[in-house]
């Protein structure tokens, strides 16, 4: 079998490694336009901030690929003929395959704002963006970041480490309004304030203004305010990269459409990771998952199917993690920004706002825990997942909190306070 994988991100590389393990004789070729070797996309910001060098964010030594008989082609796949099982590459090569995995990731969104093509306006997705940001933020005094999500806060932190003043425009009334409950968002806002980031809530970008050389000189907000700046970072999310699939016979919608085995509509063509859209996501799951962890899970799952062991992809208990300046965030299970009427919430916060814990539960089903948000605290994923799966009552979870404790500091300093607050509540507080 010759497996060709388009994209050497976490999804493609995980699939390649898993297939190598399951089918030692398979020929595996990884094609990627962005970089010769796989690197950790989530660590891009640390390269800009000077905490890591590019070679530090490559999880494998350069010899790893040849040693594991993984052929690498540094080129763009420009055309796919699924009928002939052939790809055309930007280096002029034609590449045949028996099985093909599309793991082409995402591209940064743009909303068609006037001035968005000026020099100094960009998103942050890959190495070319990092190089562009390095170049265009040299010697500037203010950058404006558009978007109140994960990339928005990363961009603000990146500017802060270079002593560049940052203004962040957030459409919602609080940070990451579609995901975080207001209390957690307020803790993130404290981080913004502590790092002198000027955040404008309920504010959108209307226009980007340029100077005579074609470089950004200011932005205009939805309130009509003009803010002088020399750089604009667009952190308004990503969308599946369909550049190869959309001109082929592979069926696409917002993403590349796949069934539960991550198969497309074309024989022996699969898609996984950020670029895939699930035709029928399971209950509580989403159609397009743009996360590092889910890319890894999908890569591993699809490898089994490719090797003749059909394995449906199931997301399982939701989890995610991030860091907002100095504040770590972990979430397990269901903790929506606005909970349904039958969900209750226990929320504890340290008086200084340095950490907090939210546990959601369902009174109508024996107070079964549904999800956790930990800010500035670390909880063990396996323990939280097992509590959620077993529908453990919140009383038991609070009693046994120390088994989820990842960090002895947390146990010593906060666990008793959390238990005390829970015990003192005659009626558990709704959000
Ligand atoms: C700055 C940043 C920070 C992030 N932080 C987090 C985080 O903290 N936690 C988290 O869970 N997720 C995070 N994410 C999201 C996460 O990185 C992605 O979900 C994940 O990397 C997607 O992996 P993938 O392998 O599916 O796609 P990608 O990593 O995008 O890899 C796809 C590769 O395919 C290449 N490609 C595309 N088309 C072609 C073609 N036609 N020919 C050849 N090559 C092609 C692309 O150039 C790219 O290199 C972050 C993303 C960014 C941008």
């Amino acid at each position: 079998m010759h497996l060709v994988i388009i994209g050497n991100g976490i999804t493609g590389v995980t699939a390649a490694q898993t297939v190598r393990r399951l089918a030692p004789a398979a020929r595996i070729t990884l094609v990627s336009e962005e970089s010769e070797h796989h690197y950790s996309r989530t660590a891009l910001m640390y390269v800009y901030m000077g905490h890591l060098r590019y070679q530090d964010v490559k999880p494998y030594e350069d010899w790893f690929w040849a040693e594991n008989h993984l052929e690498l082609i540094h080129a763009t796949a420009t055309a796919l003929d699924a009928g002939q099982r052939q790809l055309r590459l930007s280096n002029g090569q034609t590449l045949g395959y028996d099985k093909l995995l599309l793991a082409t990731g995402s591209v940064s969104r743009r909303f068609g704002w006037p001035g968005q093509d000026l020099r100094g306006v960009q998103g942050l997705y890959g190495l070319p963006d990092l190089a562009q940001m390095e170049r265009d933020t040299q010697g500037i005094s203010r950058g404006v970041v558009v978007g109140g999500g994960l990339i928005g806060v990363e961009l603000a932190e990146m500017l802060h480490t270079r002593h560049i003043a940052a203004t962040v425009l957030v459409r919602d009334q609080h940070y990451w309004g579609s995901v975080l409950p207001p209390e957690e968002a307020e803790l993130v806002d404290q981080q913004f304030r502590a790092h002198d980031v000027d955040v404008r809530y309920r504010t959108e970008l209307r226009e980007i203004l340029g100077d005579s050389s074609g470089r950004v000189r200011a932005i205009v907000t939805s309130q009509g305010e003009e803010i002088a700046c020399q750089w604009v970072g667009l952190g308004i999310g990503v969308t599946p990269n369909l550049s190869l699939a959309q001109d082929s016979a592979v069926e696409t919608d917002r993403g590349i459409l796949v069934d539960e085995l991550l198969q497309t509509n074309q024989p022996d063509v699969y898609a996984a990771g950020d670029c895939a859209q699930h035709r029928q996501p399971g209950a509580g799951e989403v159609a397009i998952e743009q996360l590092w962890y889910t890319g890894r899970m999908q890569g591993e799952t699809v490898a089994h199917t490719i090797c003749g062991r059909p394995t449906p992809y199931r997301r399982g208990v939701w989890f995610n993690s991030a860091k907002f300046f100095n504040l770590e965030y972990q979430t397990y299970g269901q903790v929506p920004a606005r909970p349904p009427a039958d969900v209750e919430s226990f929320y504890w916060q340290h008086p200084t706002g340095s950490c907090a814990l939210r546990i959601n539960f369902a009174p109508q089903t024996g107070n079964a825990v549904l999800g956790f948000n930990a800010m500035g605290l670390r909880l063990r994923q396996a323990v939280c997942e097992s509590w959620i799966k077993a529908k453990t009552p919140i009383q038991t979870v609070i009693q046994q909190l120390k088994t989820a404790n990842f960090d002895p500091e947390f146990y010593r300093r906060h666990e008793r306070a959390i238990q005390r607050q829970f015990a003192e509540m005659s009626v558990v507080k709704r959000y």
Side-chain angles (χ1 to χ4, degrees):
M1 173 188 55
H2 182 199
L3 167 66
V4 173
I5 300 174
I6 310 297
N8 69 353
I10 185 65
T11 308
V13 161
T14 306
Q17 288 175 282
T18 311
V19 170
R20 172 55 65 244
R21 185 164 49 79
L22 298 175
R27 181 180 167 205
I28 303 172
T29 306
L30 277 150
V31 180
S32 198
E33 66 189 352
E34 186 185 355
S35 58
E36 190 175 353
H37 298 112
H38 168 65
Y39 74 93
S40 172
R41 190 172 301 289
T42 56
L44 274 178
M45 67 183 291
Y46 300 105
V47 177
Y48 179 87
M49 298 194 308
H51 301 175
L52 297 170
R53 297 160 306 166
Y54 175 61
Q55 58 262 43
D56 303 324
V57 301
K58 290 194 289 183
Y60 307 99
E61 300 287 347
D62 292 352
W63 50 256
F64 171 88
W65 309 98
E67 182 92 351
N68 288 280
H69 307 291
L70 300 168
E71 296 169 28
L72 305 181
I73 301 179
H74 188 189
T76 306
T78 52
L80 161 62
D81 183 339
Q84 297 296 318
R85 293 179 185 246
Q86 268 189 356
L87 291 151
R88 217 174 34 245
L89 306 187
S90 56
N91 61 8
Q93 202 180 336
T94 299
L95 191 63
Y97 62 84
D98 299 311
K99 307 221 176 195
L100 174 67
L101 172 61
L102 301 173
T104 53
S106 297
V107 287
S108 297
R109 269 207 193 115
R110 294 204 163 207
F111 283 155
W113 286 292
Q116 68 176 13
D117 296 324
L118 288 164
R119 197 150 40 83
V121 182
Q122 65 166 108
L124 177 67
Y125 192 78
L127 294 170
D129 302 321
L130 193 67
Q132 194 178 335
M133 186 168 173
E134 185 66 53
R135 187 193 67 211
D136 289 346
T137 57
Q138 291 291 332
I140 69 167
S141 59
R142 179 170 296 275
V144 168
V145 174
V146 184
L150 287 177
I151 301 294
V153 77
E154 283 194 5
L155 288 169
E157 185 172 355
M158 290 161 82
L159 295 176
H160 178 76
T161 56
R162 298 266 181 118
H163 309 291
I164 300 167
T167 296
V168 180
L169 309 187
V170 178
R171 191 179 49 187
D172 293 318
Q173 60 184 0
H174 66 245
Y175 171 75
W176 215 14
S178 59
V179 174
L180 290 184
E183 289 86 352
E184 283 89 324
E186 168 58 25
L187 297 186
V188 180
D189 193 60
Q190 275 183 30
Q191 290 290 319
F192 280 130
R193 293 196 299 267
H195 292 87
D196 297 321
V197 178
D198 164 36
V199 187
R200 311 289 178 91
Y201 293 103
R202 294 194 199 90
T203 304
E204 294 184 55
L205 176 65
R206 185 191 290 166
E207 188 180 357
I208 306 169
L209 306 176
D211 63 16
S212 55
S213 72
R215 180 168 180 139
V216 57
R217 65 168 178 82
I219 60 108
V220 182
T221 69
S222 47
Q223 278 86 343
E225 185 186 359
E226 188 173 313
I227 300 174
C229 62
Q230 303 81 38
W231 184 84
V232 176
L234 303 175
I236 45 165
V238 294
T239 184
N241 182 348
L242 303 180
S243 55
L244 177 60
Q246 67 194 359
D247 294 326
S248 74
V250 172
E251 199 184 341
T252 61
D253 177 33
R254 285 183 297 137
I256 302 172
L257 288 166
V258 291
D259 63 15
E260 60 174 7
L261 294 176
L262 304 173
Q263 297 177 127
T264 70
N265 66 323
Q266 294 299 309
D268 294 317
V269 181
Y270 303 82
D274 272 30
C275 66
Q277 177 179 344
H278 304 271
R279 288 180 191 272
Q280 286 175 323
E285 297 177 359
V286 293
I288 300 178
E289 299 180 313
Q290 290 156 323
L291 291 173
W292 179 263
Y293 312 100
T294 47
R296 198 172 54 198
M297 286 163 66
Q298 291 189 28
E300 192 170 345
T301 307
V302 75
H304 283 77
T305 300
I306 287 170
C307 292
R309 305 179 191 188
T311 307
Y313 172 71
R314 282 275 80 88
R315 173 72 173 78
V317 173
W318 173 261
F319 65 98
N320 198 6
S321 66
K323 196 157 171 273
F324 309 113
F325 288 90
N326 299 329
L327 189 68
E328 286 192 47
Y329 159 70
Q330 290 178 317
T331 187
Y332 301 114
Q334 294 166 29
V335 192
R338 282 167 288 278
D342 55 350
V343 171
E344 299 276 338
S345 188
F346 167 74
Y347 181 74
W348 169 87
Q349 183 179 311
H350 191 269
T352 61
S354 58
C355 54
L357 177 68
R358 179 184 298 281
I359 307 177
N360 277 9
F361 61 100
Q364 286 162 19
T365 45
N367 292 332
V369 288
L370 301 170
F372 299 80
N373 269 357
M375 310 286 287
L377 305 171
R378 283 194 187 173
L379 299 181
R380 289 189 185 279
Q381 181 179 0
V383 176
C384 293
E385 275 189 10
S386 70
W387 280 334
I388 293 166
K389 280 187 187 155
K391 299 186 169 38
T392 309
I394 186 167
Q395 294 88 334
T396 311
V397 166
I398 294 280
Q399 254 170 29
Q400 298 177 358
L401 211 48
K402 78 172 183 193
T403 57
N405 173 17
F406 193 83
D407 177 358
E409 281 287 289
F410 156 53
Y411 171 45
R412 273 210 306 275
R413 291 178 11 219
H414 308 307
E415 196 178 6
R416 280 175 193 280
I418 295 169
Q419 287 167 335
R420 221 171 18 246
Q421 180 176 320
F422 187 75
E424 281 166 6
M425 294 172 74
S426 50
V427 178
V428 178
K429 172 180 163 257
R430 282 191 52 77
Y431 307 46

